[in-house]
Amino acid sequence: MTRARAEDAADGTGHAAVLAEPTVPVGAGWTAGLSLATLAVFMAFMTPIQILLPLQLAHIDPHGKNAALSLVTGLGALVAVLANPLAGAWSDRTTSRYGRRRPWILGGALAGAAGLAVTAAQHTVAGVAVGWCLAQAGLNAMLAGVTTPIADRVPLGQRAQVSGWTGLTQSVGLVLGALITTLLVTGVRSGYVTLALLTVALALPFVLRQTEPALPRALRPAFDAGAFARSFWLSPRRHPDFGWAWLTRFLINLGNALGTLYLFYFLADAVHYGDPGTGVLILTVVYTLCAALTAVPVGVLSDRAGRRKGFVVLCSLIMAAAALLLALLHTWPSALAAAAVLGAGYGIYLAVDQALVTEVLPAAADRAKDLGVINIANSGPQVLAPALASPVIAHLGGYTGLYVTAALAILLGGLLVGRVRGVA
């Protein structure tokens, strides 16, 4: 695309709005719709990991359940690492009259729901792995669509507040998913199917009721396979703030993944809680309530102060304290206390870190692709955590070693956020 064509596309027609830095605050309806779509994708992501996959795999292979869960979640996370930035990159290039993000939200929801339905029907570890990988591919396409509208449409002075609401729905998704799969429906298969239907239903309000500017064809660059592949590498030398923000997110999410991946088995094997599925539900409710108390208020405070990094450091200290509590005490009361502390810290993280990363994106034309690369720091730890967790549990102190490792990763992430220079 020539400079002249770009200027023609952006002159006085309003087409420049698709790539412009947003200045008009979004309304409550817009935030609510995006929050529901975010709720859908994270409920579909996390409920199987926390509840359905452990139950399904424990039934299929009772003696090898730990290794099976590591295999299935690790393969699914590997698919996520690839699918999210690819979907984001194609979203950036989408010229649909419905906009760039909404087609991917709806298409991803439908594909993710189909993958959940396939997973529900499986009776072997290999079959579960295939179904979960299909679900991850669709859900990560949806995730690429729901994470980018904040950078596309929300002004800097409102970003942490809106991120607080969407981040809060990530935690609420855990509670609703646990309620659905432990109290409202019976059986693993019905749990998957219910999640599949809700994923699509909760995506529809934002897809059908909100509008977004379309990308003019003149602003879409000609496709070059080599350039497209190279665009996924963002040099830390050229974009150091992006690199440090990525590493900070990776380490904090690695610690969180190490701490939550084996929560079901931790309650069963270390705490000896009689009904670990219900235990996960209770802990998730406590976690979410505490996240709700911090996410939106801290987001508002961060927007008013115009500061992000100090809050990321604070959340890392709080989350590491929760991990150490789990490491030192394997009792139900200590697990409840850790859930409360972890929720408070993660609520801060969800609001402020998302706002921070939107401020270090290299180019407006590549927001979804670059956020997809950032989101590798969410899904990548899901690949690495199973590979780390099994040997740590087996050879480095069991669950105590696991949660100490989680605390160290989180603390290092909080320390490295100070290297981000372009954000206060």
Side-chain angles (χ1 to χ4, degrees), residues 17 22 30 52 110 112 138-139 184 196 276 279 309 345 380 409:
W30 190 93
L52 297 177
L110 292 169
L139 293 172
L184 300 183
K309 294 189 295 186

Side-chain angles (χ1 to χ4, degrees), residues 23-114:
T23 57
V24 180
V26 297
W30 190 93
T31 301
L34 184 62
S35 296
L36 285 176
T38 306
L39 169 67
V41 71
F42 279 94
M43 184 165 60
F45 269 139
M46 299 307 300
T47 306
I49 292 174
Q50 293 286 349
I51 304 288
L52 297 177
L53 287 172
L55 286 172
Q56 188 176 19
L57 294 171
H59 178 74
I60 292 171
D61 186 3
H63 300 294
K65 61 184 182 182
N66 282 346
L69 181 62
S70 294
L71 174 67
V72 171
T73 57
L75 289 173
L78 182 60
V79 170
V81 166
L82 299 173
N84 193 269
L86 281 171
W90 285 109
S91 170
D92 287 328
R93 300 172 57 84
T94 297
T95 57
S96 163
R97 64 190 179 96
Y98 300 105
R100 294 184 294 169
R101 314 306 179 196
R102 291 185 298 154
W104 287 88
I105 293 174
L106 182 58
L110 292 169

Side-chain angles (χ1 to χ4, degrees), residues 187 192 222 264 267 287:
Y192 279 118
F264 184 94
L267 291 179
Y287 170 96

Side-chain angles (χ1 to χ4, degrees), residues 31 48 86 108 121 159 170 262:
T31 301
L86 281 171
R159 232 167 248 187
Q170 296 181 30
Y262 285 99

Side-chain angles (χ1 to χ4, degrees), residues 104-134:
W104 287 88
I105 293 174
L106 182 58
L110 292 169
L116 290 172
V118 170
T119 307
Q122 302 308 307
H123 301 285
T124 66
V125 173
V128 172
V130 170
W132 182 237
C133 287
L134 292 173

Side-chain angles (χ1 to χ4, degrees), residues 3 29 48 50 80 150 196 206 220 222 228 233 263 295-296 311 324 411:
R3 179 185 178 93
Q50 293 286 349
I150 291 178
F206 187 80
R220 184 178 67 181
F228 182 78
W233 170 249
L263 184 58
V296 176
F311 292 103
L324 289 175
L411 286 173

